[in-house]
Amino acid sequence: TSLPPETVMQALPTFWARYHDWGEIEVTVQEGAADVLIKGFAGSTDVCALVGAELERVVELTGAKAVGAAHTSCRCLGGAVCEYRLSWTQ
């Protein structure tokens, strides 16, 4: 809780590989939101749902409120990449 969610999300590529090794990650951060793209194949929509929950929890642990994670594109369902849109308030 000592860092703002924007800072933690910007650092996501530095710690992503500790938890998942099946895809590169790109993050674009704005105030109160982040877009996360994963270039790789999770293998199932269940894993994609788990990743969305993990990303949401990372933001929650910063102390942010009204955290949401939407899986806006899924490679398992034909998308080019898996994409998540995270949003929060301070």
Side-chain angles (χ1 to χ4, degrees):
T1 60
S2 62
L3 295 171
E6 291 85 0
T7 301
V8 173
M9 291 308 295
Q10 192 66 42
L12 185 60
T14 64
F15 62 86
W16 172 257
R18 290 183 186 173
Y19 305 99
H20 300 283
D21 62 0
W22 48 267
E24 294 179 35
I25 193 165
E26 291 181 16
V27 181
T28 304
V29 179
Q30 307 89 33
E31 186 175 336
D35 294 310
V36 178
L37 284 85
I38 304 172
K39 300 175 184 176
F41 185 62
S44 76
T45 55
D46 290 336
V47 173
C48 292
L50 176 66
V51 168
E54 288 174 339
L55 293 171
E56 190 171 356
R57 186 65 180 143
V58 167
V59 175
E60 287 174 345
L61 290 171
T62 69
K65 306 294 182 213
V67 180
H71 192 190
T72 57
S73 176
C74 183
R75 185 148 182 228
C76 293
L77 299 176
V81 296
C82 277
E83 183 173 358
Y84 298 85
R85 174 75 174 168
L86 290 108
S87 60
W88 58 86
T89 61
Q90 293 289 351

